[in-house]
Amino acid sequence: MNSNLLLENLSNPALLFFVLGIVSVMLKSDLKIPSNSSKFISLYLLFAIGFKGGQELSHETFNSQIIWVMLTGIFISVAIPFYTFFILRKKLNIYDAGATAAAYGSVSAVTFVTAVSYLETHHLQIHGYMVATMALMESPAIIVGLLLISVFGKDIHQGIQKKEAFKHSLTNGSVLLILGSLIIGYLANAKQAEGIKPFTNDLFKGFLAIFLLDMGISSGKKLTSFFSYGWFPIIFAAIIPLVNGCLVGWVTGFFCEHTIDRFILAVLAASASYIAVPAAMKISVPQANPGLYLPMTLAITFPINITIGLPFYFGIVSM
């Protein structure tokens, strides 16, 4: 285990701004992000993630191996929310279960970057299409999460047809933005994309830091609520990612040629989103409590993945 890698990621400014948000609430500060600005930042992050993923996808020459890897990633991001939703429903309400399931079905870009750094310490490089695979895994989990909330959260006096729920999930503004941005990024040539690169690339980390500051403030206000759930969310956030990562790392050995691709798929399966899903849920499902799923993904799952998970998944795919 690389302790320097751990310290570097735990001192990431974006993550520290999340902590600052929590601290500001504990200190009873009047620090807050205006609601209109917060919504804009959420939309910006979804746009930037989708567009950059589309650009990476446009640089690849497709073959059967790449297609299988991408389809596997999409399948993972659909399957995980389905089974985790019903586990979470044993203790959580519909909105929190759906949002949390979506978070664990989606992926963490920071965990992905950490995995790339981990490979570099072993003098290994990822394939470019894995960046696009990561972007493709963002929205399916959001769609599934919204679909599950729509179907199982229907009003007792007014049933909702599954067809209508699915249509609503696909046309939801957050989902439409990230999928549309992915397609636009794929269609735009390098010269066209260069024109907005300062907005999609250079400003991303700054906006991410402000977004996490806002999420930290929101989470800090609801930390009492988080601890009121007892041990269940803590145990879930610690065990489920390891199960997902190990299972995917082992199963992909039956059909995936490249060890590096298997490792990245395992890491993505184990990771949990604290950017795209919170941004989408903040707009689409304001009833969901970010003070529950954000501490789970950011304070528990992320540290476990970068300390225990990475070497564990790498060991499994290297067997």
Side-chain angles (χ1 to χ4, degrees):
M1 187 183 301
N2 191 329
S3 59
N4 290 331
L5 180 61
L6 171 62
L7 291 173
E8 180 182 346
N9 282 282
L10 291 179
S11 61
N12 184 298
L15 300 184
L16 293 177
F17 271 104
F18 176 77
V19 175
L20 175 61
I22 295 176
V23 171
S24 71
V25 174
M26 295 174 64
L27 296 176
K28 300 184 186 227
S29 168
D30 61 354
L31 175 64
K32 66 178 180 178
I33 306 297
S35 58
N36 287 339
S37 299
S38 177
K39 185 173 181 178
F40 166 75
I41 294 169
S42 299
L43 292 172
Y44 163 77
L45 293 174
L46 294 172
F47 152 72
I49 291 170
F51 188 84
K52 288 189 289 185
Q55 276 287 288
E56 291 293 336
L57 192 59
S58 69
H59 298 152
E60 293 293 341
T61 302
F62 284 93
N63 56 43
S64 59
Q65 176 64 24
I66 293 177
I67 292 173
W68 270 112
V69 168
M70 290 185 172
L71 288 176
T72 300
I74 293 172
F75 174 78
I76 290 169
S77 66
V78 169
I80 290 176
F82 262 113
Y83 96 85
T84 54
F85 175 79
F86 294 103
I87 295 174
L88 291 161
R89 272 296 291 134
K90 295 181 182 298
K91 296 289 184 180
L92 307 180
N93 64 46
I94 291 289
Y95 302 113
D96 289 338
T100 305
Y104 279 88
S106 191
V107 296
S108 161
V110 177
T111 306
F112 176 83
V113 172
T114 306
V116 173
S117 299
Y118 181 84
L119 287 174
E120 288 175 350
T121 63
H122 291 79
H123 308 290
L124 298 171
Q125 297 290 330
I126 69 164
H127 300 109
Y129 55 81
M130 294 309 297
V131 179
T133 300
M134 178 196 70
L136 286 171
M137 291 175 69
E138 292 274 13
S139 56
I142 298 173
I143 293 173
V144 171
L146 293 174
L147 183 61
L148 289 167
I149 291 172
S150 298
V151 172
F152 292 94
K154 58 183 179 291
D155 188 275
I156 296 175
H157 304 291
Q158 184 179 7
I160 297 177
Q161 299 296 322
K162 292 184 180 181
K163 184 177 179 181
E164 294 177 357
F166 183 69
K167 181 181 178 181
H168 171 73
S169 299
L170 286 176
T171 57
N172 177 271
S174 302
V175 174
L176 192 63
L177 178 58
I178 194 169
L179 286 176
S181 299
L182 182 73
I183 295 171
I184 293 170
Y186 177 77
L187 295 175
N189 60 43
K191 184 177 180 181
Q192 292 168 330
E194 189 68 27
I196 60 173
K197 187 176 180 180
F199 187 64
T200 57
N201 290 46
D202 299 343
L203 297 178
F204 184 83
K205 289 184 178 179
F207 274 116
L208 173 59
I210 297 174
F211 174 76
L212 287 178
L213 172 64
D214 184 37
M215 288 296 98
I217 294 171
S218 298
S219 298
K221 291 177 180 177
K222 299 179 179 180
L223 272 181
T224 302
S225 169
F226 174 67
F227 290 120
S228 71
Y229 288 98
W231 286 99
F232 175 76
I234 298 173
I235 294 172
F236 179 95
I239 294 178
I240 291 297
L242 294 174
V243 171
N244 291 338
C246 292
L247 183 61
V248 168
W250 174 67
V251 170
T252 51
F254 291 100
F255 60 87
C256 188
E257 299 176 4
H258 302 295
T259 298
I260 295 174
D261 289 354
R262 290 176 58 200
F263 171 72
I264 293 297
L265 284 172
V267 171
L268 291 175
S271 70
S273 172
Y274 56 83
I275 301 175
V277 170
M281 293 301 164
K282 184 179 181 68
I283 297 170
S284 310
V285 191
Q287 301 95 325
N289 180 7
L292 174 65
Y293 59 82
L294 261 177
M296 289 173 68
T297 57
L298 198 53
I300 301 173
T301 297
F302 175 70
I304 286 177
N305 269 328
I306 65 172
T307 53
I308 301 172
L310 294 184
F312 206 54
Y313 311 141
F314 190 75
I316 289 175
V317 301
S318 300
M319 291 173 61

